[in-house]
Amino acid sequence: MQGQVRVYFYAVSAVLIWSTLAAMAKSLLTVIPTFEALFLSSLIASVFLLVQQGVRRGLRVFRAYDWRGYLAMAALGFIGLFVYSGLYFYGLTQLTSQEACILNYLWPMMIVLFAALLLGERITLRTAAALLLSFSGVLVLTLGGEGRADGNAVLGALACVLAALCYGLFCVLNRKRNVDATVLMTVAWGVTALCALSVMLMAETWVALSWTQWAGMLWFGIFINAVGYLWWTMALQQAQNAAMVANLAYFVPLLSLVVSAVTLGEEMSRAALLALVLIMGGILLQNVRRGRKSG
């Protein structure tokens, strides 16, 4: 019983932490260039994970993989974290944080698509209906979303959908590999930091951060990137019923809307509300199918 309490502590804490992602990123990206923010948050995450691994269990686990293993982890990090984060951050500059977050949570449906394409899982009629329902939400938000006054709603929506696609692919490819979660995330965030630094040096001008911005960046790097992903992975690994824990992820976009409304003063448009209902409806429809199948 005590073990399950710990599992749900990890899962619920990760959900609460992730609910601040959209509003925090939106706030930081109004004053900090995209790839500077990505570089700093990723570097902080990678260093934090490396240090906590050394303190908790030592660094011997890093010796368990050869250069091929690290190359595969680097490739996964490039696709699933660097490209994903870059696209999502761009979407946040073009849309409200609420709209970007809603579109970002297409990634559970992307997992279903890639599981069918790469792992041979069957797409049933219910699954197809769930996919159509979620993607109809994308159309509603793309055509009816207002975006920013100086932004492009269509490009922003496209970036968020592509970001969800990248993270869905990242999750499915991870199923094929038996890699320590801390090692994988340390390498993945490190690769993301290096790639973001390269783009930043070529395309952006460094902006000095204030103390409050550094505090926000530390929260982003340590808690949203490092602790959130790590605790979520630990919850899924230790849970007796992983499906029940995974269901908690669907509260993230709902809580994000509340956080954005309180901290940024954003009001939800009718298009965003309808898109949220359609996308979450599609995800829940697919989840009901899984629940009945496992039962």
Side-chain angles (χ1 to χ4, degrees), residues 43-53 221-223 226-227 230:
L43 180 63
I44 291 169
S46 185
V47 171
F48 175 83
L49 287 170
L50 184 65
V51 171
Q52 70 86 29
Q53 173 66 27
I222 293 175
F223 290 98
V227 175
L230 187 62

Side-chain angles (χ1 to χ4, degrees), residues 23-76:
M24 179 65 71
K26 180 77 172 181
S27 178
L28 291 172
L29 292 173
T30 58
V31 290
I32 305 172
T34 299
F35 288 97
E36 179 182 342
L38 183 55
F39 162 66
L40 290 174
S41 61
S42 302
L43 180 63
I44 291 169
S46 185
V47 171
F48 175 83
L49 287 170
L50 184 65
V51 171
Q52 70 86 29
Q53 173 66 27
V55 172
R56 288 177 62 243
R57 294 185 295 170
L59 300 178
R60 185 176 302 175
V61 66
F62 285 89
R63 302 175 188 170
Y65 307 99
D66 59 14
W67 67 271
R68 298 181 195 84
Y70 280 109
L71 184 62
M73 284 185 263
L76 284 173

Side-chain angles (χ1 to χ4, degrees), residues 94-116:
Q94 305 302 310
L95 304 168
T96 67
S97 67
Q98 295 176 350
E99 291 169 337
C101 182
I102 290 169
L103 292 175
N104 181 53
Y105 265 78
L106 277 170
W107 63 259
M109 299 310 298
M110 297 300 184
I111 291 177
V112 175
L113 276 178
F114 282 117

Side-chain angles (χ1 to χ4, degrees), residues 274-295:
L274 179 56
L276 175 65
V277 171
L278 291 171
I279 291 174
M280 292 297 106
I283 291 171
L284 292 175
L285 180 60
Q286 169 64 14
N287 190 65
V288 167
R289 183 195 71 82
R290 288 182 175 177
R292 289 178 178 174
K293 185 176 180 180
S294 62

Side-chain angles (χ1 to χ4, degrees), residues 10 24 83 144 180 182 194 205 225 245:
Y10 287 146
M24 179 65 71
V83 179
D180 182 88
T182 302
L194 288 175
T205 301
N225 287 352
V245 173

